[in-house]
Every structure is written in C-alpha cells, then in structure tokens.
Amino acid sequence: MSDQRHSLTTTGGIGRAPNRAMLRAVGFMDDDFDRPMIGVANLHSDITPCNAHLNRLATKALEGIRAGGGVGQTFGAPTASDGIMMGHQGMRYSLVSREVIADSIEVVAGGMNHDGVLAIGGCDKNMPGCLMAIARLNVPSIFVYGGSILPGVGEAGDIDIVSIFEAVGQFQANKLSAEGVHKVECEACPGAGSCGGMYTANTMSSAIEAMGMSLPFDASYPAVSAAKDRETFLAGKHLVALIEKGIKPRDIITRKSLENAYTFVLALGGSTNAVLHLMAIAREAEVPWTLADFDRLGDKVPDLADLKPGGKYVMFDLHKAGGTPAVMKALLDASYLHGDCLTVTGKTLAENLKDVPSIYTREQKVIKPIKEPMHPTGHIIILKGNLAPDGAVAKVAGLKTRKITGPAKVFDGEEACFEALQKREIKPGDIIVVRGEGPVGGPGMREMLSVTAALSGQGLGEHVGLITDGRFSGGSRGLVVGHVAPESHVGGPIALLKTGDIVTIDAEKKEVSVAWSEPERQRRTAEWKQPPPKEKRGVLAKYARTVSSASEGAITS
C-alpha cells in the first residue's frame, strides 16, 4: 500500500481523526481508509461537445476504482473550447488553459496526497495539461480520452468542424451561399466528442496511448460508445493495480516512450501542436528532449494516414478499420516502435499488442501501406534560418508546393491579417507574416485557423506562404510555418520584417529566411523598440511574465 495514503488517513491514530472525520462526511466508510485514495480529475464542461459527456465517464471511472479495491474522489479542472475561442481574442486563453489545467490537478491531487490520479479530458489542451500534471506529481496515474465525435453528414459526404471554417472562406470567395454555410454549420458537429480529424485532440490522445499512459484503444474509441464506457471502467481497475505495483508515470514516460509517441503522431499525420505539447510533457517528466529529437524522428517515419486535414477520413473511420492499436501493431512489426516500453496496463507495449491484428490484415483505406505512404518522411518538420534561429515548425502533409519565395505582407496580429483576407488583398505568391502572437506577445500563442481556413476557402492554400510566431490548429493546412522563435515581442528577427521583404519558405532545406544584408539587419535591430505588454494583470499577464519560448514547450514551470 502507498505510504502517501497512510500519511493522510490511517497512520497517526488519533492525530488523523480530523482527516477521517471530513472524509466520512463525503461518504467514506471504515474500510475505505485502508483503500488507495484516487483523485479523478473530471474536465467536464457543457461549453464544448468535447467535454459535455465526461460526467458519464467519471461515473464509470469511480465504479472501476471501487471494483479494483480503491476509493475515488472526483474533482473538476477547467477547460475552454478551442473551437469556440478560435478567430478572436479568446484564443489567447487556449494555451494558457493547458498550464491552468496542469496547475489545478497538481494543487488538488498534491494537496490531498492522492495515491493515484485518473484524469479524463476531451478538448485540445486537456490532454497535455493532464499529462503535465501527472508527470509533475509522479504518483500512479492513467489518462482517459473522452473520445472523438462522429462525423457530420453533408451534401457531398462527411463533414466536420474544419468544414465550417472553410465554408466561411468559400462564402467570402463567392463560392458558397449564406444558406450553404448555414447547412454546414448545422451538420458539422452532430453530438458529443472531440473534433473528428487528426487535429490536436486526436493527435495528442494517440500520442499518449503510444506513450503508454492510457489503455489500448483509448484514442480511437468514439465518445458516444459503450466501448468508451467499458474502457474507462477498466482504467479505474488498472489504476488500483498500478498503485499496488508502485508503477509511476516517470517509469513510463521515457525517451523511448516519447519516441513512440512522436512516431505515432508522424505516422498518423498529426498536428504541429504535438511538438509543443510533447516538449512540455518531457520537461515536466524531466526527460531530456529538444527540437532536434523531433526532426531526427521525422526524417525516418513515413506519413501513412489518409486522415483530415491532409486527407479524406476521420478518427471514426480509423476506429472502424481496427483502431489505434492496429496501426501501432503494424508500426511495431516494421520496427518503428520500441516494444519494450512499460505501459499503464503493467505490461509492455509489445505485450499489449501481442494479440492485436495489424491494420493491414483487413481491407481498409485509412492507413496506407508502409511502402506506399502518403509521404515517405515526416509531415512535420523543424525549420531554422535567419528568421527563426531557435527554430520553427511546419506541417507539409499533402502539399504540392514545398518551397515558395515572395514578398512579405506583414500584419501585427491575426485580426489585421483576416481583415486583409476579407478584402481580398492577399495574392498568389505572397508570404503572409502574422507576428505579435507568440507566448509572451500574444500573450498566449493563438492559433491561426480562421486565417488558414479562409486561405483554403479562397483557393489560396497552395499559392501563398504563412509565417507566424503563433500556432496553428490541427485543422490547418497549407505551406504554413508557426512557433517561430525567438518571437517578435522579445526582439526575434520576425519583429524586424517589413512588407515587401523577400522571404523564402523551403520545406526541402528546412529553412525559413529573409533576403536582407547583415548591415540592414543590424540597422533594424538598433531601431526596434519592444512594445508594451498587452496585459498588465490577470492570468494572461502572469503567463506572459513566466512562459518559456515555444522552442522549449512554452511552459511556465
């Protein structure tokens, strides 16, 4: 039994009576004080479909914990909806919410001396926020993903959340009527669950499963399914067993398991946000990890998944084709994964996959053959150059155009750029620069989905480049470069750009650069003045004062 649990309840005799008295008031019985006490972090919220059903899963988790011999205590952690925050100032709170989630879980589970933590999340920042807290606390823990939404039904086939963003762009380009936009709006999100493509939520849940911190099939079971209920029940039982065995997150989160996680992201065509979030998880687990590690894996892992936004299908299609373990089995068979990594089942990854048929044992169209991939190497690349000396991130899945050189059109903030798009001021060959959106300058490192979706809707996605010190949604596509570091607010080279400067994005050379002379750069540097902070108080101001560079995961601890 855990020493932490005894320190809170049984040990100390009469001295612990006040603790026990308060726990009796919330339903503890005499024998509960001899059980592992497990915190169930429930990120339920009815502000987003991603999290609207999590109370149901929390109930199943408590049942599983009780069946396994433990006693569960539920508590909440905040979530904010990335999809609803998108395209306005509210998006500044998105990445900040990752830190708040991690802090909230740490405060409650740490303060209560919980023997273990079972965290249940749905929206994009839930997954990394929960894992960051779990890595900090380092008590036996399991993560449960709320599951993916079912696809909506459109006139031309399945649609999802990104369909409505792109419909707005089509309307702006006079390719779709207002009535057409309304139809897409009404059908895009048919019920509970996280955004259906290989966007950030499904990317991170898949990474966490491959990392070994969730049960097999966690990432691919749909939100609205009895399978998800059963899995959550089993997670509760498994967590009690982990406590008895003394298996902790840092026994599972290692360099090799992080390699498994990112390999799976690459194979599935996942979001660029995985770079930011896996870096943050590695830092919290005290595992050495740099941008070079992402690039090292990207050079050898093929992009196999025909999943949105770069492909045709959504997570529900992958579920029908065999689920995430079936893809991992194929990758393990091809020696892309480390099979000896420990997982929350108490077994190794290879042992978990022993009886799972490979995705290639059945007829399906979602996952391409390893020798006939969507792209032979990683769809996410790390770029450097005189515009991003500390690094930048790009997603090149499905791109026909992998290099572009053209005049910069510089915008201070997303709104100015979107206004220019509405006025049809962006032309083929332009390099759009959106700055002042970094972790410090934003503050909060907003995603640019409204911009990238509008570009796609206007037919410009393959004909312009986009560079930002902000982020991109997992639903973004096009020749777009984000996470530029150092960011503009701290004087990074992106702060010195002017409209008309000739900029190059070269995915083959992994370079993002501007054609200026060294004397010109020095002159502009001397003239540059740091802008005042946008926020002087509150959570955004605190974040701006403490956050690290995007190249280090944009963490605050």
Side-chain angles (χ1 to χ4, degrees), residues 240-294:
V240 179
L242 286 181
I243 293 170
E244 298 299 331
K245 294 175 182 177
I247 297 175
K248 300 178 180 179
R250 296 190 192 182
D251 299 322
I252 297 171
I253 305 172
T254 64
R255 275 189 64 83
K256 288 171 72 173
S257 73
L258 283 165
E259 288 188 359
N260 283 349
Y262 192 59
T263 294
F264 203 36
V265 168
L266 292 167
L268 293 179
S271 166
T272 54
N273 283 315
V275 173
L276 202 67
H277 298 326
L278 288 175
M279 178 80 79
I281 293 167
R283 294 299 174 95
E284 299 290 7
E286 299 184 344
V287 177
W289 194 266
T290 69
L291 288 179
D293 290 304
F294 293 110

Side-chain angles (χ1 to χ4, degrees), residues 61-338:
L62 291 171
E63 292 173 1
I65 290 167
R66 178 64 71 174
V71 57
Q73 292 190 307
T74 55
F75 62 93
T79 192
S81 172
D82 278 55
I84 298 172
M85 290 188 289
M86 198 73 66
H88 56 84
Q89 289 294 314
M91 178 48 70
R92 295 188 298 166
Y93 289 91
S94 170
L95 190 57
V96 177
S97 75
R98 185 191 73 177
E99 310 301 304
V100 175
I101 290 165
D103 292 348
S104 297
I105 295 173
E106 179 193 359
V107 165
V108 178
M112 289 299 296
N113 265 343
H114 282 142
D115 295 293
V117 175
L118 192 151
I120 309 171
C123 199
D124 291 7
K125 304 308 173 292
N126 293 184
M127 275 69 71
C130 290
L131 263 290
M132 289 163 68
I134 284 168
R136 285 183 203 168
L137 290 161
N138 201 34
V139 296
S141 302
I142 292 180
F143 176 76
V144 174
Y145 177 43
S148 183
I149 197 170
L150 298 178
V153 179
E155 291 184 355
D158 288 349
I159 57 175
D160 66 359
I161 185 61
V162 173
S163 304
I164 185 60
F165 283 95
E166 295 185 353
V168 172
Q170 292 171 333
F171 173 75
Q172 293 168 346
N174 296 318
K175 296 179 180 179
L176 187 66
S177 68
E179 291 78 11
V181 173
H182 184 257
K183 285 183 180 179
V184 176
E185 175 190 330
C186 292
E187 299 294 335
C189 298
S194 300
C195 299
M198 192 46 60
Y199 312 139
T200 302
N202 283 326
T203 294
M204 290 310 301
S205 61
S206 299
I208 291 165
E209 184 180 329
M211 189 189 299
M213 285 303 301
S214 60
L215 295 185
F217 294 97
D218 178 68
S220 55
Y221 281 149
V224 184
S225 67
K228 178 56 69 175
D229 290 358
R230 290 192 295 269
E231 177 220 329
T232 309
F233 176 87
L234 290 174
K237 290 189 68 175
H238 275 288
L239 182 48
V240 179
L242 286 181
I243 293 170
E244 298 299 331
K245 294 175 182 177
I247 297 175
K248 300 178 180 179
R250 296 190 192 182
D251 299 322
I252 297 171
I253 305 172
T254 64
R255 275 189 64 83
K256 288 171 72 173
S257 73
L258 283 165
E259 288 188 359
N260 283 349
Y262 192 59
T263 294
F264 203 36
V265 168
L266 292 167
L268 293 179
S271 166
T272 54
N273 283 315
V275 173
L276 202 67
H277 298 326
L278 288 175
M279 178 80 79
I281 293 167
R283 294 299 174 95
E284 299 290 7
E286 299 184 344
V287 177
W289 194 266
T290 69
L291 288 179
D293 290 304
F294 293 110
D295 223 24
R296 171 176 55 84
L297 293 168
D299 283 342
K300 64 181 183 180
V301 179
D303 174 9
L304 302 174
D306 193 3
L307 290 165
K308 292 185 177 184
K312 301 175 184 176
Y313 301 103
V314 295
M315 185 58 93
F316 184 61
D317 297 304
L318 179 57
H319 164 66
K320 292 186 291 183
T324 37
V327 185
M328 280 192 270
K329 180 60 175 288
L331 292 171
L332 182 65
D333 289 345
S335 300
Y336 283 106
L337 296 177
H338 302 289

Side-chain angles (χ1 to χ4, degrees), residues 2 4-6 35-38 113-117 139-140 243:
S2 163
Q4 282 187 313
R5 175 173 54 83
H6 287 313
R35 299 173 182 268
M37 189 165 69
I38 295 170
N113 265 343
H114 282 142
D115 295 293
V117 175
V139 296
I243 293 170

